[in-house]
Amino acid sequence: MSASLILIVSACLFLAIGVPVAFALGLATAATLILAESYPLMVLLKETFTGIDSFPLMAVPFFILAAELMSGGSLTEVLLRFAGQFVGHKRGGLGYTNVVSLTFFSGISGSALADAAGPGSMLIKMMDRAGYDRSYAAALTASTAIVGPIIPPSIIMIIYALQDETVSVGALFVAGVIPGILIAVAMCVVNFHVSKKRNYKGDGQMPGLADILRTTWKALPAILLPVVILGGMRAGWFTPTEASVVAVFYALVCGKFVYRTLQWRALPDILARSALLSASVLIIIGLSASFAWILTIEGIPQQMAEWLVGMNLTPWMFLIIVNVFLLLFGIFIEPLPGVMVLAPILAPVAVKLGVDPVHFAMIVIYNLTLGMITPPVGGLLFVTCNVSKVPMSALVRELVPFLWAHGVVLVLLTFVPQLSTWLPRVWGFIK
């Protein structure tokens, strides 16, 4: 039996019996090295450490730490008040507040799970107290949290750029802005129709101009973090990795000296949480790298690329096939290992067919991220069910209109490349 066949069969077997994705890939790699006897077992250790031995990858723990520092500095409450003052008084106002708040927070966390577990849990409780269906509030939160990895900074974009040398982290960060806004608008449209149908009323009156200016001024430092990151990279002041360190310093200054809510005694807990989150991400990256190494050595990416190119597909036919494949793949695999395994295979084919690499990257990232809200593996579903105490069946039932809205956005991103490429081209990240 060939090494590639053992690798794929064993990975599917481990996933089927419920082994976490990272360890399923690692165990599949170990099983292949032992049974195929083509490569030494030391390859598993070597390639796992090689996979995380990367200077650009240092941005991941720093961005995680920056998000934890901002959260520890009561950022969530500030952003909730800022978003609520504009939309809270409208029909379905708390639903709009949910969408706007999570969109702003995604520009800090870079993680869908962090958005759902942090501000998302607070918003679900607020909507429940205001008379919204708790299952609807949970579905809206999970669907909107998808924007976390799309709007910069984004951990998955950093990983994708490491797998595909034709794109840069800066280009992907900027490319995510318009798609992220589109997702937020789509979620607001669904909230509008559901709120009208169920008569979810607004919360009080719109505050006066003085209150709006005061709340906006207080929220401005938090809102400016993504602007500082993107602006500094565009101006050439720092690289994406250096930007992550700047983000940590900025978050520390904001929490301690601007908002004055971050206490020094809270730092050990913040550092511990950041270390655990960083370790979980790096374990996935390292073990996925060893899995991808065997695929590459066995020539699977090259064979698949030749097969796809030999089918004489047009770029649009290729993108349709990729969308269907990634949506199905994302149901069973988390986004990070999905990018590690699939980007080196599909990205070269896309380039050969004339698809812009930044455009293609956004399609891959969005598709795999959508897998987080599709059962049975969807991580966002489990996190949201846990924080909202809503049964999975009720949550999935309320998700249906949001999934349709995500489908519309995905079609737009697929067939209108400018939505992904226009802003990076204007900012000079791509020519």
Side-chain angles (χ1 to χ4, degrees), residues 135 138-139 373-376 381 385 390-403:
S135 55
I373 56 170
T374 52
L381 298 183
C385 284
V390 169
M392 178 69 76
S393 58
L395 175 58
V396 172
R397 190 165 52 249
E398 293 281 5
L399 269 176
V400 174
F402 295 106
L403 291 174

Side-chain angles (χ1 to χ4, degrees), residues 225-372:
L225 177 58
V227 178
V228 170
I229 293 171
L230 293 178
M233 290 167 55
R234 171 66 182 87
W237 295 339
F238 37 72
T239 66
T241 306
E242 293 163 347
S244 65
V245 180
V246 171
V248 170
F249 179 76
Y250 184 93
L252 185 61
V253 170
C254 283
K256 181 62 182 176
F257 302 108
V258 177
Y259 296 119
R260 299 182 181 181
T261 52
L262 181 63
Q263 303 298 319
W264 292 124
R265 63 175 178 270
L267 286 181
D269 286 339
I270 290 174
L271 291 171
R273 286 198 305 272
S274 301
L276 286 172
L277 285 171
S278 300
S280 65
V281 171
L282 293 176
I283 286 173
I284 293 173
I285 294 170
L287 293 175
S288 298
S290 63
F291 183 90
W293 182 87
I294 293 183
L295 286 178
T296 304
I297 292 298
E298 288 293 304
I300 301 301
Q302 297 88 334
Q303 294 172 26
M304 184 172 288
E306 291 173 3
W307 175 67
L308 287 170
V309 171
M311 293 176 67
N312 295 319
L313 298 171
T314 66
W316 301 121
M317 290 172 61
F318 170 72
L319 290 179
I320 291 171
I321 292 173
V322 165
N323 273 315
V324 174
F325 171 70
L326 290 176
L327 286 172
L328 294 174
F329 189 86
I331 291 175
F332 304 101
I333 294 289
E334 294 173 2
L336 282 181
V339 164
M340 294 285 294
V341 172
L342 294 179
I345 297 174
L346 298 176
V349 180
V351 171
K352 284 185 179 180
L353 293 175
V355 179
D356 185 276
V358 172
H359 173 215
F360 185 72
M362 291 308 305
I363 291 174
V364 172
I365 290 169
Y366 188 25
N367 268 297
L368 291 177
T369 305
L370 281 176
M372 299 181 77

Side-chain angles (χ1 to χ4, degrees), residues 68-82:
E68 287 290 333
L69 287 169
M70 289 296 256
S71 299
S74 299
L75 171 70
T76 303
E77 292 85 352
V78 172
L79 289 179
L80 281 176
R81 286 195 294 270
F82 172 74

Side-chain angles (χ1 to χ4, degrees), residues 80-100:
L80 281 176
R81 286 195 294 270
F82 172 74
Q85 67 183 347
F86 297 110
V87 293
H89 62 285
K90 298 180 180 295
R91 183 191 297 274
L94 275 178
Y96 296 125
T97 301
N98 188 317
V99 174
V100 176

